[in-house]
Each structure stands twice: as C-alpha cells, then as structure tokens.
Amino acid sequence: MLTMASSSNHQQLFFLLLALLLPIAINGADFIFQKCGENFTANAILPGNINSVLLDLVGKTSTHGFATSSYGTGADTIYGISECSEGATAQACSACLSDSALKAHTSCPNSADMSIWQHSCYLRYSKKNFMGQPNSTKIGAWYSIHKPVDQQAYTRAVEELLGVVGSAASWGENRKFGWGVMDSPNFKGSVGKLFAMVQCTWDLDQDACTKCLADARQIRRDSCGDRLGCYVITESCALRIEISAFLLFNPAHDPATPARSITLGSL
Ligand SMILES: *[C@@H]1O[C@H](CO)[C@@H](O)[C@H](O)[C@H]1NC(C)=O
Ligand SMILES: *[C@@H]1O[C@H](CO)[C@@H](O)[C@H](O)[C@H]1NC(C)=O
C-alpha cells in the first residue's frame, strides 16, 4: 500500500496508519536514548521503505515481544528489528513501539540508520543488514553521582553479578535478556542489594552476545568507574546495575537467603 503512495502523501499515510494501529494515548515518559545515523539526500524510495518497516514492526512485535522486518530491494532495502522489555504488557509494548516509530519519523526524518532505546522497548533500522552482527560501539553511558564506601568490595560484587547475569542472557534461546539480584556489601558497611540487567538484541547468537557484553562491561569500567549505578547502551547490547530495583517486573527474592546469594533469571 505504501509503495503506491507518492512521496508527498507518505507522511500523512504514515501518521494515519500509526493512528489505526494504536488508538490509545502514547506515554513517552520512558524514553532513554535515540541515535540518528547519517542523513540520506534526495531519495524518493527510502522514506517509504522506512515507513513500511516501522509500521510492520509496530504491528508485529507485541505478539511475541520481538520482531524483524525488511522492505525494499537492492541498495534501498531497509532492515529493522524490535523488542519489548521483559515485564512490559502487550499494550505497553505497542504504545512504546508506536512512540518509537513516531520519534524515528520526527527526529530522524532523513536518516537511514536509527536506534532508539526506551524502558519498555527497543527499535532499530538500517540500510545495512546488521542482523546477527554484534556492534558494541557505545551509544551512551550514564551513571549515578554516588560512590560506594568500600570500593573494592563493591566492584567485586558488580563484576561477579554481571558475569553470571551475562551468561544467563547469552544462553537465552529467543531473547537474550538476563537479570539478577545479589546481596552485596552496602555502602554504609551493612548488606544491601545489587540489581543487574543485561540484554543483547535478540538477533545475536550466544558468542556474539557474550562478546558484546564483555565490551559493555569494559565500557562500564571506563565510563562509570567507581559509581554506584551505571547504564551502558551499545548498538547491540545493554547493561544496567543499580542498588535499587528498576526492572519492569518484581524479581522474586527470598529475604531469608544468606548474604551473597544470587537470584537469577533469563529469557
Ligand atoms: C541530519 O539532518 C538534520 C537536519 O534535518 C540535522 O539536524 C542532523 O544533525 C543531521 N544528522 C547527521 C548525522 O548528519
Ligand atoms: C558500528 O556502529 C557504528 C555506529 O554506532 C558504526 O559507525 C560502525 O560502522 C558499525 N560497525 C560495523 C562493523 O557495522
């Protein structure tokens, strides 16, 4: 349908179809980061191909929580991938992807290479067929202002937790998502909790995911240093570590388990 449209009504059609796919209010509050790649110039075909991929991903993703799409031929082919976060409801998933498609459309109108990370979903498209190819180029790193009192003990706990959570994520069959909660030395001398999440885009295999996460862990060391919280996003994977809960679901944790026990989960 979109290929039939002239470029002058591409825009209107895109917004109309998006509105039909999602008749509910969009909450853009969970935005994290968006990257617009190189702009293309004077291309009559790419905008329609991008719109087709975006609409396809918005329509397909909530069924399984992840999807791929491609549209076009030859050098004008656009490849796309999307995924919703663990714990996001189907409705939150759709709302997040619609919002991402809208942001792609409005913030990166002339870019054939776009990534957007939100708390509830992830969406990327490119002219390059990036499926299965890990790219651990940093696209962002954020950290909290606070530092632990016992730096060495904290770092040991972080490395241990990220190691096991990373393995859990990379073994995942469909989704490459892992989380964990661990008792760790607190920052006032007592025992506290450490929460971690790692994720590879679901097109990666185990080795590619493992490699991306190793790079993300190095980015954490370099960019977040001795801070308590850290959130690293690369093209193909992400990790986050905090001393308070941040996941969209409540990881079960038995308060009676001894110190240094690890509760793990993966998809
Ligand atoms: C693409 O073009 C927009 C203006 O439409 C500009 O703001 C942006 O910086 C450009 N991006 C790149 C990567 O060149
Ligand atoms: C990885 O992504 C960066 C942009 O984030 C890009 O410049 C680079 O070419 C990519 N590398 C590969 C191998 O695709």
Side-chain angles (χ1 to χ4, degrees):
M1 172 163 33
L2 280 172
T3 48
M4 302 293 287
S6 75
S7 55
S8 62
N9 59 24
H10 264 142
Q11 310 280 53
Q12 278 172 305
L13 199 52
F14 178 79
F15 289 111
L16 176 66
L17 289 174
L18 202 56
L20 289 174
L21 279 167
L22 192 82
I24 63 166
I26 288 167
N27 177 2
D30 71 353
F31 176 70
I32 301 170
F33 196 75
Q34 179 173 23
K35 196 206 82 180
C36 306
E38 217 172 284
N39 288 322
F40 56 80
T41 48
N43 187 311
I45 298 177
L46 279 176
N49 291 353
I50 291 170
N51 287 349
S52 297
V53 164
L54 287 175
L55 291 168
D56 193 32
L57 290 175
V58 172
K60 284 201 307 207
T61 308
S62 60
T63 314
H64 297 293
F66 53 93
T68 56
S69 180
S70 67
Y71 200 90
T73 52
D76 289 325
T77 307
I78 293 291
Y79 302 88
I81 188 170
S82 54
E83 183 168 356
C84 283
S85 302
E86 173 63 1
T89 62
Q91 197 185 45
C93 174
S94 295
C96 184
L97 285 162
S98 296
D99 185 55
S100 299
L102 209 56
K103 282 187 166 70
H105 204 267
T106 51
S107 307
C108 310
N110 302 312
S111 171
D113 180 8
M114 195 283 321
S115 305
I116 182 166
W117 292 81
Q118 306 215 51
H119 282 295
S120 305
C121 70
Y122 161 82
L123 189 152
R124 178 183 180 189
Y125 66 77
S126 179
K127 265 174 79 170
K128 236 187 307 194
N129 187 356
F130 57 86
M131 303 292 166
Q133 312 292 322
N135 185 333
S136 48
T137 302
K138 176 172 101 173
I139 62 178
W142 298 267
Y143 50 80
S144 57
I145 55 171
H146 300 293
K147 298 178 177 190
V149 171
D150 187 343
Q151 182 59 52
Q152 283 189 340
Y154 182 73
T155 300
R156 269 198 309 276
V158 167
E159 292 290 344
E160 181 183 354
L161 184 56
L162 286 177
V164 290
V165 169
S167 299
S170 53
W171 290 333
E173 240 175 62
N174 287 324
R175 314 270 303 265
K176 297 275 186 286
F177 178 88
W179 55 266
V181 184
M182 187 170 98
D183 294 327
S184 90
N186 203 342
F187 325 103
K188 296 167 190 149
S190 51
V191 172
K193 297 240 182 291
L194 196 56
F195 297 80
M197 173 285 287
V198 301
Q199 179 178 16
C200 293
T201 58
W202 67 269
D203 55 309
L204 298 192
D205 65 16
Q206 185 180 339
D207 287 348
C209 179
T210 301
K211 162 144 197 350
C212 190
L213 291 176
D215 292 345
R217 287 174 69 178
Q218 189 56 48
I219 293 171
R220 187 202 70 80
R221 290 177 204 115
D222 296 341
S223 301
C224 298
D226 55 0
R227 305 308 176 101
L228 280 177
C230 183
Y231 197 165
V232 171
I233 292 179
T234 79
E235 286 284 4
S236 301
C237 63
L239 72 77
R240 185 171 180 189
I241 191 126
E242 305 283 351
I243 56 165
S244 54
F246 60 86
L247 294 166
L248 292 171
F249 57 100
N250 283 324
H253 188 64
D254 179 359
T257 50
R260 321 247 346 117
S261 80
I262 301 177
T263 302
L264 274 181
S266 66
L267 292 176

